[in-house]
């Protein structure tokens, strides 16, 4: 383990606790990540010493809270390398960000006969909003298939693209399989066809560099709770011209310019999409979390997690009767697997009794499970605070599952 990374493990109080008398080994980072002290302390300090509302206050506390939120938005801008902080919309998370684009961009710009392209291995959050939009508009949802490794079949994508393609929505990294999609190429191809591209970055933001300008992404979104930040907050990046052209998502306080009973005019983005009192503490906590990630370095994180992936993959492959689902060439540190004769839920339960937290189920990706002919998988997903020792414990525990259920 690289010392500079291992030092940061100590920043996470949750990683020192025990489960069922055993040290907790937390391997469900694809679902959510643990929080470092700096985030916990910053939010605690805000609630204890600085708490006030934002935007409306003329008093000092409110102005300070407003400044802290502005600073957080600037951190998000830098984190994604967006051109302007006005391109950063705070949402509840990835799910709300995608729903926002489907509702605000989709309702306005998608017409009957248009097409929306997604991949076969999306999270439900990047399927259902588009499906609903297509149903409402009389548009078609088109699905790019993946090969047996879980990689997008590019020739099929190329064939699906046409002047009818209005939106391409695709994950940066698949949460169920770990596939890293070549999104720069996908975006370039979609743009050539005249489509707008949304990238679901829920699994990517905390694990690799993201530069929305270099990618030329039209929309990019992620969740705070998967980036070592609080729940209830996420980011939607959108190109300013697109956000400006879109209609509001929800209506209420703070998103207006002027309200008259005859007609209301709206604030420019991002305020136009942020109706109501925002999750102030969460916004501040998210800023702290992203600065924490930046201080460690996303390239270092990616390199370290890749080492963990290789180490774990090799060890899991040696366990008889175990099959890894999703073996893309470009893969994040997420490993889905099944075992002969053992339900993934049983794997999860047995591992839990040994203090090891993994996910078991369909991972909100039922079409992915269907594609690979399995009802569910067990999934271990890593973060930079995991170690080879964690993986050794995982391997020991998974091997013990075979002893319980027999070969
Ligand atoms: N997309 C992907 C790829 C995800 O992994 C997740 C979370 N599992 C989501 C979307 C939804 O994120 P959230 O629940 O934080 O809105």
């Amino acid at each position: 383990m690289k010392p500079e990374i291992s030092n940061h493990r100590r920043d996470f109080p949750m990683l020192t606790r025990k489960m069922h008398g055993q040290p907790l080994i937390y391997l469900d980072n694809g679902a959510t990540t643990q929080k470092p002290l700096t985030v916990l302390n910053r939010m605690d300090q805000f609630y204890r010493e600085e708490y006030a509302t934002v935007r409306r206050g003329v008093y000092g506390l409110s102005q300070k809270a407003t400044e802290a939120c502005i600073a957080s938005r600037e951190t998000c801008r830098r984190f994604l390398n967006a051109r302007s902080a006005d391109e950063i919309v705070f949402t509840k998370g990835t799910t709300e960000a995608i729903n926002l684009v489907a509702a605000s961009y989709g309702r306005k710009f998608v017409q009957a006969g248009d097409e929306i392209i997604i991949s076969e291995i999306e999270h439900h959050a990047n399927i259902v909003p588009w499906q609903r939009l297509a149903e409402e508009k009389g548009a078609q949802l088109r699905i790019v298939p993946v090969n047996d490794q879980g990689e997008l079949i590019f020739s099929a994508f190329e064939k699906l693209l046409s002047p009818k393609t209005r939106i391409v929505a695709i994950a940066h990294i698949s949460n169920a399989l770990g596939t890293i999609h070549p999104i720069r190429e996908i975006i370039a191809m979609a743009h050539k066809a005249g489509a707008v591209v949304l990238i679901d970055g829920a699994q990517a933001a905390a694990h690799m560099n993201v530069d929305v300008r270099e990618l030329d992404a039209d929309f990019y979104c992620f969740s705070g709770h998967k980036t070592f930040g609080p729940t209830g907050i996420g980011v939607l990046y959108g190109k300013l011209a697109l956000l400006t052209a879109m209609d509001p998502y929800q209506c209420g306080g703070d998103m207006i310019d002027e309200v008259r009973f005859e007609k209301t005019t709206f604030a420019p983005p991002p305020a136009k999409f942020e109706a109501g009192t925002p999750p102030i503490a969460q916004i501040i906590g998210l800023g702290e979390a992203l600065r924490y990630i930046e201080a460690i370095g996303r390239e270092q994180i990616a390199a370290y997690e890749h080492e963990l992936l290789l180490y774990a993959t090799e060890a899991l492959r040696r366990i008889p009767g175990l099959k890894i689902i999703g073996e893309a060439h470009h893969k994040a540190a997420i490993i889905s697997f099944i075992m002969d004769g053992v339900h993934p839920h049983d794997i999860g339960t047995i591992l839990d009794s040994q203090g090891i937290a993994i996910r078991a189920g369909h991972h909100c990706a039922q079409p992915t499970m269907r594609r690979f002919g399995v009802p569910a998988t067990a999934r271990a997903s890593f973060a930079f605070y995991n170690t080879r020792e964690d993986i050794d414990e995982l391997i020991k525990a998974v091997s013990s599952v075979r002893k319980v259920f027999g070969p």
Side-chain angles (χ1 to χ4, degrees):
M1 184 164 69
K2 290 205 171 68
E4 65 272 24
I5 298 266
S6 70
N7 286 342
H8 294 292
R9 186 179 170 96
R10 290 186 220 128
D11 298 337
F12 292 81
M14 273 291 294
L15 298 179
T16 61
R17 66 157 289 167
K18 296 197 163 184
M19 274 304 293
H20 309 299
Q22 313 270 353
L24 171 66
I25 295 176
Y26 185 76
L27 300 177
D28 196 16
N29 296 285
T32 198
T33 53
Q34 300 299 339
K35 318 304 170 200
L37 269 173
T38 175
V39 170
L40 301 175
N41 289 343
R42 183 67 191 92
M43 291 178 74
D44 188 60
Q45 181 193 7
F46 175 68
Y47 275 129
R48 282 175 190 276
E49 298 168 20
E50 303 170 16
Y51 186 74
T53 194
V54 289
R55 293 176 187 154
R56 272 154 281 185
V58 291
Y59 51 96
L61 272 181
S62 177
Q63 282 163 4
K64 262 202 86 175
T66 305
E67 278 161 24
C69 286
I70 291 170
S72 232
R73 203 186 295 274
E74 170 55 22
T75 300
C76 295
R77 183 208 64 73
R78 187 180 63 226
F79 192 77
L80 295 177
N81 195 29
R83 195 166 275 113
S84 159
D86 292 340
E87 297 179 314
I88 303 295
V89 179
F90 288 125
T91 65
K92 259 194 320 192
T94 307
T95 301
E96 190 180 41
I98 299 171
N99 275 277
L100 190 162
V101 175
S104 297
Y105 184 87
R107 283 231 183 91
K108 189 159 179 186
F109 295 107
V110 173
Q111 317 286 340
D114 285 347
E115 296 185 351
I116 300 162
I117 298 181
I118 61 172
S119 90
E120 197 176 12
I121 54 170
E122 296 304 313
H123 187 282
H124 296 163
N126 201 29
I127 302 174
V128 188
W130 306 117
Q131 192 173 44
R132 299 269 299 164
L133 173 68
E135 280 165 8
E136 192 184 309
K137 291 290 185 172
Q140 297 295 319
L141 198 59
R142 299 270 179 236
I143 314 297
V144 188
V146 297
N147 63 21
D148 290 343
Q149 280 69 51
E151 297 162 327
L152 217 68
I153 301 176
F154 248 76
S155 54
F157 177 49
E158 224 165 356
K159 266 196 214 134
L160 285 176
L161 283 167
S162 83
K164 286 194 221 158
T165 312
R166 200 61 52 233
I167 296 171
V168 174
I170 199 144
H172 197 163
I173 295 175
S174 146
N175 66 305
L177 306 182
T179 308
I180 304 176
H181 292 302
I183 58 166
R184 193 180 307 135
E185 288 79 358
I186 289 169
I187 292 168
M189 284 165 72
H191 281 170
K192 235 189 243 169
V196 154
V197 186
L198 176 138
I199 302 296
D200 168 357
Q203 293 297 331
H207 304 279
M208 62 194 292
N209 252 333
V210 176
D211 182 331
V212 290
R213 269 192 278 178
E214 193 217 333
L215 292 168
D216 200 19
D218 298 301
F219 298 104
Y220 193 102
C221 50
F222 69 90
S223 300
H225 71 95
K226 293 182 201 271
T227 53
F228 314 106
T231 52
I233 184 71
V235 166
L236 169 67
Y237 159 82
K239 284 182 181 163
L240 196 57
L242 294 173
L243 294 177
T244 304
M246 284 157 61
D247 287 337
Y249 174 54
Q250 294 182 335
C251 297
D254 291 324
M255 50 76 72
I256 51 88
D257 168 36
E258 189 181 25
V259 178
R260 289 176 182 273
F261 289 124
E262 306 76 53
K263 187 168 173 60
T264 292
T265 51
F266 302 111
K272 180 164 72 174
F273 302 104
E274 296 179 354
T277 303
I280 308 166
Q282 288 83 345
I283 290 173
I284 293 170
L286 174 65
E288 199 64 31
L290 300 188
R291 284 190 288 276
Y292 178 81
I293 294 173
E294 285 175 334
I296 298 172
R298 277 173 287 173
E299 264 161 38
Q300 253 187 313
I301 288 174
Y304 176 70
E305 289 180 5
H306 189 67
E307 277 177 33
L308 290 182
L309 171 73
L310 297 181
Y311 184 73
T313 301
E314 202 184 305
L316 282 167
R317 275 202 191 118
R318 282 200 294 265
I319 297 176
L322 186 146
K323 182 166 187 282
I324 293 175
I325 306 288
E327 298 194 276
H329 186 61
H330 292 291
K331 215 182 139 173
I334 294 174
I335 308 179
S336 256
F337 60 94
I338 52 172
M339 292 176 88
D340 286 346
V342 192
H343 194 279
H345 284 151
D346 292 328
I347 303 176
T349 306
I350 293 172
L351 265 56
D352 176 53
S353 70
Q354 300 176 42
I356 302 173
I358 62 159
R359 182 88 182 269
H362 55 61
H363 317 294
C364 297
Q366 287 176 355
T368 310
M369 299 297 111
R370 226 166 276 130
R371 162 64 181 82
F372 287 87
V374 294
T377 70
R379 183 190 72 182
S381 50
F382 305 94
F384 67 83
Y385 45 55
N386 292 123
T387 61
R388 282 184 177 225
E389 290 74 22
D390 290 345
I391 293 169
D392 293 340
E393 290 303 318
L394 170 74
I395 300 302
K396 243 193 275 170
V398 173
S399 305
S400 80
V401 171
R402 291 231 56 85
K403 283 181 204 123
V404 174
F405 284 86

